[in-house]
Amino acid sequence: MTDPSYRGQLLVFTQPLVGNYGVPRRTRDAYGLLKHFESERIQCRGIVVGDYAAKYSHWNAVESLGAWCAREGVPAITGVDTRALVHILRGQGSTLGALGTQSAESADVEWADPNALNLVAQASTPRVRVFNEAGDVNIALVDCGVKNNIIRSLCELGARVTLVPWDHDLMGSAAQFDGIFVSNGPGAPTMCGATIAQLRRAFAAYRRPIFGICMGNQLMGLAAGLNAYKLRFGNRGHNQPAVDLTTRKCVITSQNHGYALDDSVMPPGWARYYVNANDGSNEGIRHLEKPFRSVQFHPEAKGGPLDTAYLFAEFVDSVRAAKAAGTAAVGADDEGASASAASASA
């Protein structure tokens, strides 16, 4: 519920009994991040549950699910046959919905399509923030709706994490970053024109590692020249199989996305990286020469699986290697071109 990727959506829980564990206390870790939540607030627009447990029982709980929703102004409904509802959603795909106390026929519903909104702009940080200031490499984390555990995972690997807004001028401050990480996020990737433009500039000029996950994969693909399309159902859950096309090994991954890249024809210099073993959809791309790659799944998923946690370590290791080698953030020719472009626009 606190994952920013769910922003603007109604969540339907298929687990019959919901709420029996309650809501944990807002404890923070060594980096100032909430330990048991993926962001500072509930991100979804509402929840639908089958059987709500009004009385909770857990050693770390401090309030009920209902009290938490009420305190944050998020509507919730119970007594719904959620499994029958999911059958409908599985039959017709992701569907606009509304919560109300009247019948659908008599209610005057003002439908709002979240895919028509720039949800990334809503979920992103409004200002630059720094975590783990003593880290030995400085990674720019482009916040498209980042989860706390992504920040935590990079910090635990020893990196200084500079969280920047979704439309931050990356190339204007490229020299201070040893690597760039593009996060997950909600909604349609095509709404993020500013991020795509920044990444396109980075692909042309930046010489250090770039890595993206989930929405980051889609934005990097769009910047590279691919198109994105909406999946009928989306790939969600903790058991999605993805095949690494460089090793042919299959990993079990955690996913939550409604869009995918069309990788039927790859742009020059780019290759498919991972593919979904169920539906054949794209699960990642990589550059054939430059240290740029991305995956559609979540290697850092708090609830697991941890099959691909090594990808974060590989990224941070590559950032350290580039720094140790003295790799310039921007090539000399690109610096000159950027300066000329800036003079022309001025």
Side-chain angles (χ1 to χ4, degrees), residues 69-154:
C69 288
R71 179 165 55 80
E72 299 215 8
V74 176
I77 188 171
T78 186
V80 177
D81 186 343
T82 53
R83 295 189 175 187
L85 178 55
V86 167
H87 273 288
I88 296 174
L89 296 177
R90 276 297 182 188
Q92 62 189 34
S94 299
T95 304
L96 289 181
L99 298 182
T101 56
Q102 297 175 292
S103 67
E105 293 75 16
S106 61
D108 184 15
V109 179
E110 294 184 8
W111 298 101
D113 184 358
N115 294 309
L117 305 174
N118 188 343
L119 298 176
V120 164
Q122 296 179 18
S124 180
T125 179
R127 58 184 176 85
V128 175
R129 302 176 61 193
V130 176
F131 299 86
N132 193 32
E133 293 191 35
D136 64 329
V137 288
N138 188 17
I139 294 175
L141 175 48
V142 182
D143 181 8
C144 299
V146 69
K147 298 195 299 180
N148 280 343
N149 204 42
I150 294 174
I151 303 173
R152 181 183 297 110
S153 297
L154 293 172

Side-chain angles (χ1 to χ4, degrees), residues 10-33:
L10 297 177
L11 296 189
V12 180
F13 289 88
T14 54
Q15 172 69 20
L17 184 63
V18 176
N20 50 309
Y21 280 2
V23 179
R25 52 178 50 88
R26 293 171 64 86
T27 307
R28 295 187 182 271
D29 63 16
Y31 309 109
L33 301 165

Side-chain angles (χ1 to χ4, degrees), residues 32 52 192 279 290 295 299 311 323 336:
Y52 170 63
C192 305
D279 63 9
K290 299 177 182 180
V295 295
L311 290 172
K323 182 177 182 179

Side-chain angles (χ1 to χ4, degrees), residues 29-245:
D29 63 16
Y31 309 109
L33 301 165
L34 288 172
K35 293 178 66 175
H36 308 298
F37 303 89
E38 290 292 5
S39 68
E40 294 292 326
R41 62 179 299 273
I42 298 175
Q43 298 287 343
C44 59
R45 290 289 300 273
I47 63 171
V48 181
V49 303
D51 186 3
Y52 170 63
K55 294 184 178 180
Y56 61 88
S57 177
H58 192 274
W59 67 270
N60 198 33
V62 294
E63 67 179 330
S64 68
L65 175 60
W68 184 36
C69 288
R71 179 165 55 80
E72 299 215 8
V74 176
I77 188 171
T78 186
V80 177
D81 186 343
T82 53
R83 295 189 175 187
L85 178 55
V86 167
H87 273 288
I88 296 174
L89 296 177
R90 276 297 182 188
Q92 62 189 34
S94 299
T95 304
L96 289 181
L99 298 182
T101 56
Q102 297 175 292
S103 67
E105 293 75 16
S106 61
D108 184 15
V109 179
E110 294 184 8
W111 298 101
D113 184 358
N115 294 309
L117 305 174
N118 188 343
L119 298 176
V120 164
Q122 296 179 18
S124 180
T125 179
R127 58 184 176 85
V128 175
R129 302 176 61 193
V130 176
F131 299 86
N132 193 32
E133 293 191 35
D136 64 329
V137 288
N138 188 17
I139 294 175
L141 175 48
V142 182
D143 181 8
C144 299
V146 69
K147 298 195 299 180
N148 280 343
N149 204 42
I150 294 174
I151 303 173
R152 181 183 297 110
S153 297
L154 293 172
C155 289
E156 288 177 342
L157 288 167
R160 171 190 170 108
V161 178
T162 302
L163 190 69
V164 301
W166 70 285
D167 56 353
H168 186 75
D169 181 8
L170 290 173
M171 297 312 295
S173 52
Q176 66 179 281
F177 299 128
D178 301 307
I180 298 173
F181 189 111
V182 191
S183 84
N184 64 296
T190 50
M191 301 298 292
C192 305
T195 315
I196 296 167
Q198 287 295 325
L199 289 172
R200 191 174 291 125
R201 289 180 61 201
F203 290 166
Y206 198 66
R207 294 292 177 261
R208 296 171 181 169
I210 301 177
F211 186 61
I213 66 169
C214 200
M215 172 68 79
N217 178 61
Q218 296 165 20
L219 296 179
M220 287 180 65
L222 290 171
L226 292 170
N227 293 317
Y229 64 97
K230 185 169 177 55
L231 296 164
R232 185 179 182 187
F233 307 115
N235 284 329
R236 312 182 194 279
H238 294 288
N239 60 351
Q240 290 286 333
V243 178
D244 182 343
L245 296 179

